[in-house]
């Protein structure tokens, strides 16, 4: 299959190009498009055959459900049962934006979207290209991140092309995504609500509006998996990755020790740094920034760049905290296989 690249102006999407991409969706094809978080791989959310193409192109396990993207509130009404009051308040406050809400689904949503669950994940992205594409297609779109399953999510059209060229119909190039990590996923069918995936919208912002939000236990040994996607290794570069925890002096000397051992064993070693001055002789050091907004924007690019450099071992400084840092720490842990 030939994948067509359509360059579209993110500030003022050309109607003729949006129309061209929307026609592909209507015919049951697949179109990668930018959102404010990461690029998504879109298909008609009401067409099971089109959705099957998304699973196939990504190599995604069929029990991992997809987020349905809408552009209007009638889109919400079409696919989800009437949300509880607290969910409506969230929607009003944060849509369009990096927040995915789990609601009870309506029958019209095919089982292949939800992996057979009676709930559906819904979000209204804050991106002009995404919104105009959904409107023009006239249907809600499923859109998982447009990467091969398990790889770091794409924040640029060329990342999508590297993973999916030849496997999908169209890639819209709408520039770099604004946030860089995926949306926050919150289950509003539980009381209190449950955070299933920290992401672009800090959970503290959500709590200001709906009160306490319970964190899903990260141990899947003891709790049933509520968000099926969480049980797979994710965002993972080819290299083995380790995060060195501890206070900063101890971390620096431990990283040096591990790096020197890796080099002695003949490995190509990468260092993922959040402190500018941090360097280890003989290693490829990449600086992700220190402010969370910067780190979120760079993290997946850096993981992909280490792959390109042929790095065998990535040693990372620790990173974490509240707000956006929580989502970043989650992606970092999963990349290191500590999901
Ligand atoms: O920012 C984002 O959310 C991006 C952009 C493209 O919108 N999309 C994205 O999709 O990250 P994906 O498929 O990579 O991640 C969807 C997550 C998975 O962890 C999945 O298990 C969860 O949402 N999910 C989807 N439907 C669900 C449901 N009904 N109940 C619980 N979790 C669900
Ligand atoms: Mg994904």
């Amino acid at each position: 299959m030939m994948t067509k690249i359509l360059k579209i102006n993110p500030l003022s999407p050309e109607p003729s190009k949006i129309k061209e991409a929307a026609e592909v969706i209507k015919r049951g094809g697949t179109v990668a498009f930018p959102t404010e978080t990461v690029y998504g791989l879109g298909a008609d959310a009401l067409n099971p055959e089109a959705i099957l193409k998304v699973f196939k192109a990504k190599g995604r396990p069929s029990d991992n459900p997809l987020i349905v993207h809408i552009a209007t509130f009638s889109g919400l009404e079409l696919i989800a049962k009437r949300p509880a009051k607290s969910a409506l308040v969230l929607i009003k406050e944060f849509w369009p934006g990096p927040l995915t809400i789990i609601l009870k689904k309506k029958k019209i949503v095919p089982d292949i979207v939800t992996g057979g669950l009676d709930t559906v994940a819904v979000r209204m992205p804050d991106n002009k290209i995404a919104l105009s594409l959904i409107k023009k297609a006239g249907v809600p779109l499923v859109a998982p991140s447009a990467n091969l399953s398990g790889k770091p999510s794409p924040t640029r059209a060329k990342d999508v092309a590297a993973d999916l060229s030849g496997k999908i119909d169209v890639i819209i190039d709408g520039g770099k995504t604004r946030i860089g990590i995926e949306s926050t996923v919150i289950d509003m069918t539980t009381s209190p609500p449950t955070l299933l995936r920290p992401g672009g919208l800090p959970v503290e912002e959500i709590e200001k509006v709906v009160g306490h939000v319970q964190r899903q236990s990260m141990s899947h040994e003891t709790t049933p998996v509520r968000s099926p996607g969480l049980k797979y290794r994710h965002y993972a570069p080819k290299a083995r990755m380790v995060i060195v925890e501890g206070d900063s002096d101890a971390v620096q000397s431990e990283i040096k020790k591990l790096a020197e051992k890796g080099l002695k064993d003949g490995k190509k070693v990468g260092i993922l740094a959040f402190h500018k001055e941090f360097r280890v002789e003989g290693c490829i050091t990449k600086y992700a920034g220190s402010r969370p907004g910067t780190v979120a924007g760079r993290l997946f690019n850096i993981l992909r760049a280490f792959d390109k450099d042929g790095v065998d071992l990535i040693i990372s400084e620790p990173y974490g905290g509240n707000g956006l840092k929580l989502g970043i720490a989650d992606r970092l842990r999963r990349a290191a296989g500590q999901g």
Side-chain angles (χ1 to χ4, degrees):
M1 176 193 294
M2 266 280 287
T3 300
K4 178 162 186 178
I5 311 277
L6 263 181
K7 203 169 171 73
I8 300 188
N9 182 342
L11 302 175
S12 161
E14 298 85 345
S16 64
K17 293 184 183 172
I18 293 292
K19 182 159 181 264
E20 184 179 345
E23 290 300 328
V24 173
I25 296 281
K26 285 190 199 170
R27 286 199 307 268
T30 47
V31 176
F33 62 93
T35 77
E36 79 280 35
T37 57
V38 300
Y39 273 74
L41 177 56
D44 178 350
L46 305 180
N47 178 345
E49 277 167 41
I51 298 161
L52 192 59
K53 292 179 190 168
V54 168
F55 279 94
K56 281 200 172 142
K58 282 182 58 76
R60 182 177 176 110
S62 62
D63 65 347
N64 189 2
L66 305 175
I67 298 173
V68 179
H69 294 62
I70 56 169
T72 60
F73 291 102
S74 54
L76 177 64
E77 234 177 291
L78 178 70
I79 58 172
K81 292 189 181 155
R82 195 179 161 68
K85 224 183 183 157
S86 53
L88 286 171
V89 176
L90 272 190
I91 286 168
K92 226 177 134 196
E93 185 74 23
F94 296 114
W95 280 2
L99 173 66
T100 295
I101 301 182
I102 309 292
L103 298 166
K104 290 281 178 199
K105 83 175 191 87
K106 281 190 177 164
K107 278 210 187 75
I108 194 171
V109 181
D111 275 345
I112 186 172
V113 173
T114 61
L117 298 171
D118 64 350
T119 55
V120 61
V122 193
R123 103 175 182 92
M124 189 185 286
D126 184 17
N127 176 288
K128 282 189 179 167
I129 293 175
L131 292 172
S132 42
L133 177 66
I134 299 165
K135 280 184 191 154
K136 194 73 196 171
V139 285
L141 302 187
V142 294
S145 49
N147 51 285
L148 286 174
S149 196
K151 291 280 149 207
S153 295
T155 58
R156 300 163 302 188
K158 68 173 179 186
D159 302 332
V160 179
D163 279 14
L164 300 178
S165 196
K167 298 184 170 175
I168 62 179
D169 294 302
V170 173
I171 298 172
I172 294 178
D173 183 350
K176 196 174 178 316
T177 61
R178 178 166 58 83
I179 295 175
I181 63 168
E182 301 85 346
S183 62
T184 300
V185 180
I186 185 156
D187 188 346
M188 292 305 290
T189 69
T190 64
S191 180
T194 309
L195 177 69
L196 297 183
R197 178 178 75 181
L201 180 69
V203 63
E204 294 86 352
E205 296 295 310
I206 297 172
E207 288 185 313
K208 280 185 200 155
V209 179
V210 297
H212 176 64
V213 170
Q214 56 186 335
R215 275 61 169 168
Q216 168 165 276
S217 157
M218 288 297 161
S219 162
H220 301 310
E221 255 70 78
T222 51
T223 48
V225 178
R226 287 268 293 289
S227 196
L230 298 179
K231 72 184 178 196
Y232 300 102
R233 185 166 185 228
H234 256 120
Y235 318 113
K238 287 183 207 126
R240 191 167 81 80
M241 179 164 157
V242 292
I243 306 166
V244 175
E245 309 278 355
D247 70 59
S248 75
D249 284 349
V251 165
Q252 302 231 352
S253 63
E254 179 66 14
I255 288 182
K256 284 208 170 94
K257 224 166 69 193
L258 287 175
E260 275 151 20
K261 181 172 184 308
L263 291 171
K264 221 172 78 195
D265 294 346
K267 291 194 177 118
K268 200 162 187 180
V269 180
I271 309 273
L272 176 52
F274 303 100
H275 287 89
K276 207 164 198 168
E277 67 281 9
F278 196 79
R279 285 262 176 282
V280 180
E281 193 78 34
C283 300
I284 301 175
T285 301
K286 297 194 192 289
Y287 172 60
S290 55
R291 285 182 32 250
T294 311
V295 177
R298 289 185 188 164
L299 181 64
F300 290 141
N301 289 351
I302 288 179
L303 295 178
R304 282 178 178 268
F306 277 133
D307 272 356
K308 257 196 157 162
D309 293 340
V311 162
D312 311 294
L313 171 65
I314 301 169
I315 308 171
S316 175
E317 285 192 273
Y319 193 87
N322 294 327
L324 188 56
K325 288 180 176 174
L326 189 68
I328 295 167
D330 169 82
R331 304 307 185 272
L332 204 59
R333 254 199 332 271
R334 286 173 198 285
Q338 304 170 12

